[in-house]
Amino acid sequence: MFAKQLLSVVSIALSLGAAHGAVIEKRATCSNGKTVSSAACCAWFPVLEDIQENLFHGGQCGAEAHESLRLVFHDSIAISPALEAQGKFGGGGADGSIMVFDEIETNFHPNIGLDEIVKLQKPFVQKHGVTPGDFIAFAGAVALSNCPGAPQMNFFLGRAPPTKAAPDGLVPEPFHTVDQILARLNDAGEFDELETVWMLSAHSVAAANDVDPTHNGLPFDSTPGIFDSQFFVETQLVGTGFPGSAGNQGEVASPLAGEMRLQSDFLIARDSRTACEWQSFVNNQSKLTSDFQFIFLALTQLGQDPDIMTDCSDVIPISKPLKGASARFPAGKSKRDVQQACAETPFPSLATVPGPATSVARIPPPPGA
């Protein structure tokens, strides 16, 4: 697994310590009175205050937060040790190249639509004098902290500015097969089938952006402002034709009006190699948060040397806890609507949201989108 291949022993210890609430020794006190692990982290508190107010509109888990998290993946995963070994490409990964070489990379097909969030983020990079790679990782971590139920994300500092654009063809697309996606992620960082599912937890707080231009802003689950396992429930339900499965590339019939289901999510939820791990997140918030905390750190260190990076996770806010019940069947749905794909474990018993079925609200796009 990736954990044994890329992250250093120190990084793993810090990550797991944070996940279990362990106390990390503090070594510096900032001018705002906050104690952090390194004085270098103090410069990120003004960045935090600025983006919470002026990028995330007071700390909302809205379109800007969703797209900031998406940007982390698209910047990070564009790395290929296989190509590098052939002398065809070097570098890439979590280096911010998608922001520095945005006129190139945001025109790649899987990155269509990311020019909007890059345009919004660039002024903060220039204003605060930080590197694009560090800022993208930081903004993604802060974005998720605005979504109730999310773990406290890890943020490590120390990415040098990129020197070249990432090549096209390295970011998986919704219409790719499961084999293609697993092979691509294995090449990027030796991620295995389970870790691939962990990455897709990000779709719990996500919406469509140019998958189908006629249906932009459609969430991938009914609770796009909450980091919960509802996404893993609804992807396993029988589709009923919403928003209109008329052959749009990368899209399949959704079980709920106003919701979009990606073909890749649909297939991975049902593939024998990934179905049980997918189902394991249903109604298991602690597993969801711990696994995503780990995989986010792994993604944001692709192409970097963790041993020379500085842990500034103390700067990242702690999200609000979930309120009330966790995963439930949407109104009008029940266990009989589940397409059971895991042969090893029965689907968990869940309550159903009371009342008639309603349409999932569209996510308003970022300003200027």
Side-chain angles (χ1 to χ4, degrees):
M1 293 177 74
F2 176 84
K4 298 178 181 178
Q5 300 293 330
L6 182 64
L7 297 181
S8 67
V9 173
V10 173
S11 295
I12 293 173
L14 290 172
S15 176
L16 294 178
H20 291 88
V23 176
I24 298 174
E25 182 183 357
K26 312 297 182 184
R27 297 189 297 276
T29 301
C30 305
S31 59
N32 62 358
K34 301 285 187 180
T35 8
V36 291
S37 59
S38 170
C41 304
C42 293
W44 287 88
F45 282 110
V47 185
L48 171 65
E49 183 178 355
D50 195 3
I51 65 174
Q52 285 287 60
E53 182 63 29
N54 299 307
L55 178 62
F56 300 132
H57 309 294
Q60 296 182 26
C61 183
E64 293 82 2
H66 299 169
E67 288 298 285
S68 293
L69 191 57
R70 179 184 174 218
L71 188 64
V72 170
F73 177 79
H74 285 246
D75 182 53
S76 300
I77 208 66
I79 185 171
S80 175
L83 286 178
E84 188 171 359
Q86 298 171 26
K88 296 180 179 179
F89 174 73
D95 61 358
S97 65
I98 197 170
M99 181 177 289
V100 174
F101 302 100
D102 54 319
E103 292 187 2
I104 298 173
E105 291 193 37
T106 61
N107 284 310
F108 297 161
H109 190 267
N111 296 340
I112 297 299
L114 283 172
D115 58 315
E116 298 156 4
I117 192 63
V118 168
K119 183 179 179 181
L120 290 175
Q121 288 191 7
K122 264 190 171 183
F124 296 99
V125 173
Q126 297 163 352
K127 177 181 178 181
H128 294 282
V130 297
T131 67
D134 282 345
F135 183 84
I136 288 174
F138 183 76
V142 174
L144 197 62
S145 77
N146 293 331
C147 306
Q152 183 179 23
M153 306 307 294
N154 291 297
F155 168 61
F156 279 65
L157 173 69
R159 297 164 188 81
T163 58
K164 61 179 73 173
D168 198 359
L170 297 184
V171 179
E173 302 222 46
F175 55 83
H176 284 166
T177 66
V178 177
D179 285 345
Q180 287 176 307
I181 293 170
L182 294 179
R184 173 77 278 274
L185 297 185
N186 183 261
D187 172 45
E190 297 190 10
F191 295 113
D192 64 15
E193 293 89 347
L194 304 187
E195 291 161 335
T196 297
V197 176
W198 301 357
M199 288 183 206
L200 292 172
S201 301
H203 286 180
S204 172
V205 284
N209 191 350
D210 291 301
V211 176
D212 176 356
T214 65
H215 292 111
N216 271 340
L218 299 188
F220 297 150
D221 76 353
S222 58
T223 57
I226 302 174
F227 187 79
D228 61 5
S229 61
Q230 199 64 34
F231 165 72
F232 290 96
V233 176
E234 293 168 19
T235 46
Q236 293 185 255
L237 300 178
V238 176
T240 52
F242 298 112
S245 54
N248 296 310
Q249 191 178 47
E251 176 190 357
V252 296
S254 172
L256 303 179
E259 182 178 295
M260 179 175 285
R261 181 155 58 181
L262 299 182
Q263 176 183 309
S264 51
D265 290 340
F266 176 89
L267 294 176
I268 292 173
R270 289 157 176 78
D271 190 274
S272 60
R273 293 163 291 184
T274 49
C276 288
E277 185 65 14
W278 193 278
Q279 184 177 290
S280 73
F281 286 121
V282 173
N283 220 20
N284 194 340
Q285 187 70 14
S286 61
K287 183 178 189 303
L288 178 67
T289 55
S290 63
D291 287 350
F292 191 73
Q293 183 193 51
F294 172 81
I295 208 66
F296 180 88
L297 175 61
L299 279 168
T300 57
Q301 292 186 344
L302 281 176
Q304 305 295 324
D305 181 358
D307 291 331
I308 62 174
M309 302 181 82
T310 302
D311 183 7
C312 290
S313 303
D314 298 311
V315 182
I316 306 300
I318 298 175
S319 70
K320 296 178 181 178
L322 289 180
K323 293 182 179 180
S326 52
R328 295 186 290 176
F329 288 118
K333 303 293 182 181
S334 68
K335 201 168 185 176
R336 66 176 177 270
D337 297 297
V338 173
Q339 290 182 311
Q340 178 70 21
C342 175
E344 301 172 8
T345 310
F347 195 86
S349 296
L350 304 175
T352 296
V353 175
T358 58
S359 179
V360 180
R362 179 178 177 270
I363 303 297

